[in-house]
Amino acid sequence: MDNLKYTFAVFIFLGVLSCSICLYEDQIGKFDWRQTYVGKLKFAKLDTISTVKKVFVATEENVVAALNLKSGQILWRHVLEKADQGEIQFMDSDDDEIVTVSGGSVVMARSWDPHSGYLNSEWTVTQNTNSRLIDTKWFHFQKQLFQIASVAQSHIAVAAYNVSTGLKISSQEIPVPWIAEDTRCVLAVPYLACLGSVGPDTVLHVISLTGSVVQTKSLSALLEGKVAGELELVGGSKPVVTVTAVGASTKHILLLDANGFKPYPHQLPAESKLFIVPYENSNILLQTSYSEVSLELLGSDLETGEELSDLVGKLKYPNGLGEADIVAAACSPRKDKGRGCRILLATDDHAIALIFHPGKFVWIREEALASIAAVEVLDLPVSDTDAAIEKEFDHKETGFLGMFVHRLASQMLQLRLLLLTILGLGEPPSAGQRAGLVRDEFGLHKMIIAASSAGKIFGIDNLSGEIIWQHRLENLIPFVDQATGKNHMPFFVQRTTRHFPNPAQCALLLRHKVTGEGVLFVFNPITGQPLAEPGGLIKLGYKVKQTFLLHQPNKEFLRGILLLDSQDNLHVFPESTRNVAASVAATTFIFTADSSSGLLVGYSLALSTKQKLVATRVWEIKLTQGSQHITAVVSKNSIEKVHSQGRVLGDRSVLYKYINPNLVAVLTQGFDPVHKQFLNIYLVDVVSGSVVFSITHKRAREPVHIVHSENWLLYSYFSDKSRRTEIVTLELYEGKVQSNTTAFSSVAAPLQPIVDRQAYILPGMIESMKETVTEKGITSKHILVALASGGILEVPWVFVDPRRPITVTPEMREEGVIPYMPELPMPSDAIINYNQTVQRVKGIHTAPSGLESTCLVFVYGLDLFYTRVAPSKTFDLLKEDFDHFLITAVLLGLTVTSYITKKLASRKALKQAWK
């Protein structure tokens, strides 16, 4: 008996091993890719002494990193705390260490090893909370870290710390009673320069932070009696500032010293960018002038102002880059003659570029991809051969005979093209065909359109991650939620590539940086070419309050965009879709949500005519009061398809889903003196304005994430009471009798759904969540969860099913329901990005492929990650190791055997008939 048990246990163990899922080494990167970024540059320092030359950077994404100076690749990277806790205030480096200062009220000073990126030391400093404190600055000087705090109408406090231990070495107060809250000061180590006035005279105060000496010099003679308008720091190795008079087109360069300042011999254009570079026993002043097609660089001696001929040149400026600033530079003798300078540029569109001057651009990093605000995944156009076949169906109006003649002519042309191709004389393929940007058989090859908050749009090949095209929009910024501070850009796919020969068309809605009015950018998503003049930009001339895409196209298969302005006037773009908008106005509704006041307002378009579209208020709900505000409004995915209207129970009855396409989840948050933070979830029918369901969670706070799909809602929050992340799922059903078997109506008598709910514990912090979506909706739903640890967890719906009971009955077991356990598992094989960590995830975008089993996943944040998942396995696709030769041989053998058997049987039957 014991031997039997032992044998049975061994068989079970071997069975489990055979069913395990793993990723082989040769499969890494086959269906996925990852790109890492650092974000918008804030500080930079070149290291040209080490064996591997590098540049150290600190960014607005709270990242400290080292980049390879030759290729631009990340050698090492550290992502600090989020928001103000990790905001980098200062960074500097020398041969032995890199020093960073980050934080808000509590400042964290860290020392890093420049070669490996290891943390050498770490210590904290509590910021001074003096109400008259203007600001705090830091600098690294002679192996000490200095803190400068300016107190209005009083003094400047200077404290020196040991970089390694944080021990305060010295502190002093420099009396400056003239300093005020609006005094303009810049830190030019080891001096602090401030603009001020003594009567009608404009003066420059130069404060020596190491010697406690204050020099005051008049600028009236230098500025020719004009008032100084701007004081700027010139980066580099010397304490140099620039002063620009109000309305002047030139600026003055001042070299700070113990006696005040020394003026530079020449005035420079106000728009020029400057940087000081040490070279042997002198210093070089680098100057750049930017234009859309070229970048002009000029080098001169800082002391004499003499122009250096070997550092004068003009570079061809790459398309799509904004105006550039010099953030770091280093010059050295060239092997042939003269000097050569490595110059690191930071552009307005967040890109980082390295140029070797005189020479060319060495590399460019598109760091705008670290701040993506909107994403769409679109099908690619058909190939040239398929396009020729599509043209045959454009002649239906000519009748049967005309279509027959056109078919014969097209086949003759195809035969001619085939012969010319064989002979090598055929017409060249189109640009998309040459680049491989054509639709494949299974719809797995697509184009990712990503819009960045930096005002840059990218077209990315989803298979390789290569940037196909890019377009920069000047003076346009995304919309910002007042309550949450999150950026968002409404993205509209007006026409896809399915309507050949009409090109695909998309529109991106932004607002003007100065006026705040709406601007539409209309473009071809496959080529990136603007589709309107000038430059694809359509200035609306009003502030946009709400917008959405019509669900019906016009004769050109173009779907219109309805825009509601701040005065509740309705507009449509383009004008060719006005008739379509008027025809569906009777069944079209709009709603708006004010995050600060918590007011939801519903509009009806029933009174619209072909001449004028009218939005009439029909309902309004105020969901908040006091300190509450709306933080999220989540609707269902517009491309989602519901395959099954009900759920089959174990007793063979059907529990029908409550599938309301007009249902929207609204999240509100607030404070109260008893339960501190709390959040409310409302399910609102935005056509009728009725609240279908609501729930409140006490002592719950951000981060909160919501997924809304079909008849269920899933959301997560952080429980202050239990100090953990909790996930709540809601599932809505009509019952065992369906109220309307044809179409759902929000105007009919309201139906109170049956709500199943359940809560779970996830052992990790969540940064984003998204559900999978497929072509027909047949495949099971999985939830993709981006964890703060950098993993993307795939959770099957069966684990978060709200109908999971503590004890499972046989009927429920037949349904596939598993017993309830409060903690959700996080197996390592459920992490779809395995060891490719994805930092600071801002969103997950899912898109269907041509295969019903496969869902395409694009994760964006500080890093980008793309892959595909199969929630129900690849039931419609053969495995990679499928033996085609064997199955062909077996089928051929069976065919031959059946034929021989048939012959033998017929011969036997004939012999028996003659007996």
Side-chain angles (χ1 to χ4, degrees):
M1 190 67 181
D2 293 337
N3 292 335
L4 183 62
K5 290 181 179 179
Y6 178 79
T7 305
F8 184 71
V10 170
F11 272 108
I12 291 178
F13 178 75
L14 293 176
V16 170
L17 284 181
S18 63
C19 296
S20 62
I21 302 172
C22 61
L23 183 72
Y24 294 99
E25 188 176 357
D26 59 348
Q27 292 178 312
I28 295 176
K30 188 172 185 179
F31 304 116
D32 58 74
W33 49 263
R34 182 188 65 155
Q35 296 176 0
T36 56
Y37 296 93
V38 295
K40 183 181 179 181
L41 208 60
K42 201 171 183 179
F43 302 98
K45 195 71 177 291
L46 290 180
D47 173 27
T48 58
I49 301 176
S50 304
T51 305
V52 179
K53 295 179 175 60
K54 56 183 83 72
V55 53
F56 306 113
V57 297
T59 69
E60 292 188 359
E61 297 290 339
N62 303 349
V63 173
V64 181
L67 308 179
N68 190 312
L69 202 58
K70 292 184 178 180
S71 62
Q73 294 180 346
I74 298 176
L75 299 176
W76 54 260
R77 182 185 67 169
H78 292 287
V79 182
L80 306 185
E81 297 83 358
K82 285 186 177 181
D84 296 339
Q85 295 180 355
E87 181 182 357
I88 300 175
Q89 301 180 17
F90 170 77
M91 188 207 77
D92 194 16
S93 67
D94 54 24
D95 300 341
D96 302 327
E97 60 187 354
I98 302 170
V99 180
T100 61
V101 177
S102 61
S105 59
V106 178
V107 173
M108 188 76 70
R110 296 182 173 98
S111 171
W112 312 87
D113 183 88
H115 306 291
S116 61
Y118 293 154
L119 182 65
N120 292 333
S121 63
E122 180 181 74
W123 45 273
T124 60
V125 178
T126 303
Q127 290 274 46
N128 191 346
T129 57
N130 192 322
S131 59
R132 294 188 298 162
L133 188 68
I134 299 176
D135 60 355
T136 302
K137 295 180 174 64
W138 299 81
F139 71 91
H140 186 218
F141 186 68
Q142 294 180 351
K143 300 292 183 178
Q144 296 179 9
L145 184 62
F146 289 83
Q147 180 189 32
I148 303 98
S150 304
V151 180
Q153 309 296 331
S154 179
H155 64 275
I156 295 177
V158 181
Y161 298 90
N162 185 294
V163 174
S164 301
T165 63
L167 180 66
K168 182 181 287 189
I169 300 173
S170 63
S171 63
Q172 59 178 333
E173 293 184 358
I174 305 174
V176 284
W178 43 263
I179 196 167
E181 293 184 1
D182 58 348
T183 302
R184 288 161 290 178
C185 297
V186 296
L187 177 62
V189 181
Y191 303 103
L192 183 68
C194 301
L195 275 181
S197 60
V198 178
D201 192 12
T202 301
V203 298
L204 181 69
H205 302 284
V206 180
I207 307 165
S208 176
L209 300 174
T210 56
S212 303
V213 178
V214 181
Q215 294 286 342
T216 302
K217 296 288 185 179
S218 174
L219 295 176
S220 297
L222 193 66
L223 301 178
E224 298 178 351
K226 296 181 180 179
V227 179
E230 193 170 358
L231 178 68
E232 292 182 346
L233 172 69
V234 178
S237 58
K238 285 290 183 179
V240 178
V241 297
T242 62
V243 178
T244 307
V246 176
S249 59
T250 60
K251 56 186 176 183
H252 299 267
I253 302 176
L254 307 178
L255 286 68
L256 305 185
D257 54 28
N259 298 320
F261 62 84
K262 175 185 175 183
Y264 184 71
H266 308 294
Q267 297 184 31
L268 299 180
E271 65 275 4
S272 60
K273 309 298 182 181
L274 307 174
F275 197 85
I276 311 296
V277 184
Y279 180 76
E280 294 181 349
N281 297 325
S282 62
N283 291 278
I284 299 173
L285 175 64
L286 291 178
Q287 174 188 348
T288 62
S289 299
Y290 159 81
S291 67
E292 293 184 358
V293 295
S294 64
L295 184 70
E296 186 175 355
L297 293 104
L298 176 67
S300 57
D301 190 276
L302 183 63
E303 298 293 333
T304 63
E306 179 185 356
E307 185 177 287
L308 306 175
S309 58
D310 55 347
L311 291 180
V312 177
K314 183 180 291 187
L315 299 178
K316 184 179 179 182
Y317 206 61
N319 294 329
L321 292 184
E323 188 173 356
D325 289 330
I326 301 178
V327 292
C331 296
S332 59
R334 301 178 66 177
K335 291 182 179 180
D336 47 5
K337 59 179 180 178
R339 289 162 284 239
C341 295
R342 293 183 177 89
I343 303 174
L344 190 71
L345 302 177
T347 64
D348 290 344
D349 56 344
H350 299 184
I352 305 174
L354 180 75
I355 60 177
F356 186 81
H357 178 65
K360 62 179 180 179
F361 279 81
V362 181
W363 49 261
I364 299 174
R365 290 183 58 89
E366 293 291 351
E367 294 298 333
L369 288 170
S371 57
I372 292 177
V375 172
E376 282 292 340
V377 179
L378 301 178
D379 288 324
L380 290 169
V382 295
S383 63
D384 295 345
T385 305
D386 294 338
I389 297 174
E390 291 284 344
K391 290 180 181 178
E392 298 180 10
F393 298 95
D394 294 335
H395 299 269
K396 295 181 180 180
E397 66 278 358
T398 59
F400 172 75
L401 182 60
M403 292 181 64
F404 179 71
V405 173
H406 185 269
R407 179 60 182 269
L408 290 177
S410 64
Q411 287 188 345
M412 292 297 295
L413 290 175
Q414 290 177 17
L415 180 61
R416 174 178 174 273
L417 180 62
L418 177 62
L419 293 175
L420 291 176
T421 303
I422 294 174
L423 297 175
L425 303 174
E427 297 180 0
S430 62
Q433 187 89 23
R434 290 195 303 270
L437 298 177
V438 292
R439 193 182 309 167
D440 62 334
E441 184 179 0
F442 296 129
L444 298 172
H445 195 185
K446 293 179 181 285
M447 178 74 78
I448 300 174
I449 312 298
S452 168
S453 59
K456 205 164 187 180
I457 309 173
F458 298 89
I460 304 173
D461 188 343
N462 74 320
L463 295 185
S464 62
E466 178 187 358
I467 297 176
I468 305 300
W469 58 264
Q470 54 182 283
H471 193 91
R472 187 173 65 91
L473 305 174
E474 293 186 17
N475 297 322
L476 297 181
I477 57 177
F479 293 86
V480 181
D481 194 314
Q482 296 179 355
T484 62
K486 295 181 180 179
N487 296 329
H488 63 96
M489 298 180 183
F491 195 109
F492 306 102
V493 181
Q494 294 185 274
R495 183 168 55 210
T496 64
T497 56
R498 296 180 181 273
H499 308 289
F500 183 85
N502 297 315
Q505 179 172 323
C506 291
L508 188 67
L509 180 62
L510 303 101
R511 62 189 178 98
H512 197 272
K513 184 185 295 186
V514 180
T515 63
E517 296 178 346
V519 179
L520 277 172
F521 175 62
V522 185
F523 63 100
N524 185 328
I526 306 302
T527 63
Q529 294 297 321
L531 297 180
E533 294 296 336
L537 298 177
I538 308 245
K539 296 181 179 180
L540 302 178
Y542 50 82
K543 295 184 178 180
V544 179
K545 187 177 181 181
Q546 181 62 286
T547 178
F548 72 98
L549 195 66
L550 290 174
H551 60 277
Q552 289 189 8
N554 61 5
K555 294 180 180 179
E556 288 78 26
F557 306 101
L558 195 66
R559 298 170 65 185
I561 302 173
L562 285 183
L563 303 114
L564 184 70
D565 63 19
S566 56
Q567 304 300 322
D568 288 351
N569 297 318
L570 205 58
H571 311 267
V572 63
F573 173 82
E575 281 295 327
S576 59
T577 59
R578 180 175 290 275
N579 291 336
V580 177
S583 64
V584 299
T587 57
T588 304
F589 298 84
I590 308 175
F591 80 97
T592 62
D594 191 331
S595 58
S596 56
S597 64
L599 186 66
L600 267 68
V601 181
Y603 299 84
S604 173
L605 275 62
L607 301 180
S608 300
T609 62
K610 292 183 179 180
Q611 291 74 28
K612 185 177 181 180
L613 298 175
V614 180
T616 308
R617 286 195 178 197
V618 292
W619 59 266
E620 64 178 41
I621 307 173
K622 187 171 178 58
L623 297 178
T624 63
Q625 58 182 354
S627 61
Q628 284 183 267
H629 57 273
I630 297 176
T631 55
V633 179
V634 182
S635 60
K636 299 178 182 179
N637 195 335
S638 59
I639 65 173
E640 180 183 64
K641 294 183 180 179
V642 181
H643 175 69
S644 175
Q645 294 184 349
R647 178 171 184 166
V648 180
L649 303 181
D651 58 0
R652 297 298 183 269
S653 62
V654 177
L655 190 60
Y656 289 98
K657 300 175 182 178
Y658 178 80
I659 303 175
N660 184 349
N662 307 313
L663 200 64
V664 170
V666 182
L667 168 68
T668 66
Q669 291 181 261
F671 299 86
D672 65 18
V674 179
H675 301 288
K676 297 181 180 179
Q677 291 179 310
F678 66 91
L679 61 89
N680 298 328
I681 299 289
Y682 300 92
L683 296 181
V684 183
D685 189 316
V686 293
V687 169
S688 62
S690 60
V691 178
V692 176
F693 178 79
S694 64
I695 188 172
T696 301
H697 296 278
K698 307 292 185 182
R699 299 188 66 181
R701 61 177 177 87
E702 292 182 332
V704 181
H705 305 282
I706 303 178
V707 176
H708 191 193
S709 177
E710 290 192 11
N711 68 318
W712 52 267
L713 182 76
L714 182 146
Y715 58 93
S716 67
Y717 60 87
F718 185 80
S719 174
D720 261 344
K721 181 180 180 180
S722 305
R723 309 297 299 172
R724 65 193 183 194
T725 300
E726 296 181 358
I727 293 179
V728 178
T729 54
L730 307 174
E731 213 167 15
L732 286 72
Y733 293 97
E734 292 186 8
K736 295 191 176 182
V737 178
Q738 195 171 14
S739 61
N740 192 331
T741 58
T742 56
F744 185 89
S745 175
S746 295
V747 186
L751 174 67
Q752 192 66 26
I754 302 170
V755 181
D756 289 334
R757 68 187 83 172
Q758 192 63 273
Y760 299 92
I761 303 168
L762 186 73
M765 294 296 292
I766 299 176
E767 292 195 335
S768 184
M769 288 196 302
K770 190 70 174 181
E771 83 281 9
T772 58
V773 59
T774 53
E775 187 78 15
K776 302 296 182 183
I778 302 173
T779 306
S780 301
K781 289 280 187 181
H782 282 194
I783 311 299
L784 301 175
V785 181
L787 304 173
S789 60
I792 311 298
L793 178 67
E794 185 178 8
V795 182
W797 173 253
V798 67
F799 284 103
V800 293
D801 190 344
R803 297 188 71 247
R804 287 180 62 181
I806 297 177
T807 304
V808 177
T809 62
E811 292 79 8
M812 287 186 170
R813 189 177 294 109
E814 192 172 347
E815 272 183 65
V817 179
I818 60 177
Y820 174 74
M821 291 185 64
E823 186 169 342
L824 294 174
M826 293 175 58
S828 58
D829 58 355
I831 304 295
I832 62 175
N833 59 330
Y834 42 101
N835 65 342
Q836 301 199 69
T837 303
V838 183
Q839 295 283 2
R840 296 281 166 81
V841 175
K842 297 177 182 176
I844 302 174
H845 185 85
T846 55
S849 67
L851 294 172
E852 172 56 30
S853 65
T854 305
C855 172
L856 308 180
V857 180
F858 179 66
V859 184
Y860 57 95
L862 183 61
D863 300 334
L864 304 183
F865 178 75
Y866 170 84
T867 188
R868 43 178 144 161
V869 296
S872 299
K873 308 303 178 188
T874 52
F875 56 84
D876 53 358
L877 192 67
L878 294 176
K879 294 183 179 180
E880 292 182 16
D881 56 351
F882 184 80
D883 197 337
H884 294 82
F885 176 78
L886 177 62
I887 195 66
T888 303
V890 170
L891 291 176
L892 183 62
L894 291 174
T895 302
V896 173
T897 302
S898 62
Y899 181 78
I900 295 174
T901 304
K902 180 181 178 181
K903 288 291 185 181
L904 293 176
S906 61
R907 183 179 299 179
K908 183 178 180 181
L910 181 62
K911 288 182 178 180
Q912 289 179 349
W914 281 98
K915 288 182 179 179

